[in-house]
Amino acid sequence: MGMGNFIFFVLIVVYGGGVWKFWNGFGRTNFNPTLSNRIGLALLWPALFITNSSYRRNFRKALKG
């Protein structure tokens, strides 16, 4: 396993962990609680976290559980 594979593996684990934590803490956010919102916001969390301050606040709320 080369260094590139290791970094890719770590990124996948971090991404999956973020999806899991956001999915489980979604009820603590201010987002509309529809399934499509939950799926979309969970899967797009890295891009939204970087670009949207409101999403960042809600993401942190979701992780505090």
Side-chain angles (χ1 to χ4, degrees), residues 35-54:
L35 182 61
S36 61
N37 267 356
R38 193 173 192 169
I39 291 169
L41 293 171
L43 293 177
L44 295 173
W45 77 263
L48 292 170
F49 189 84
I50 291 169
T51 61
N52 191 310
S53 63
S54 173

Side-chain angles (χ1 to χ4, degrees), residues 30-31 48 51-61:
N30 297 330
F31 296 124
L48 292 170
T51 61
N52 191 310
S53 63
S54 173
Y55 183 85
R56 261 191 304 278
R57 282 191 301 275
N58 278 290
F59 188 81
R60 288 185 186 114
K61 285 182 192 178

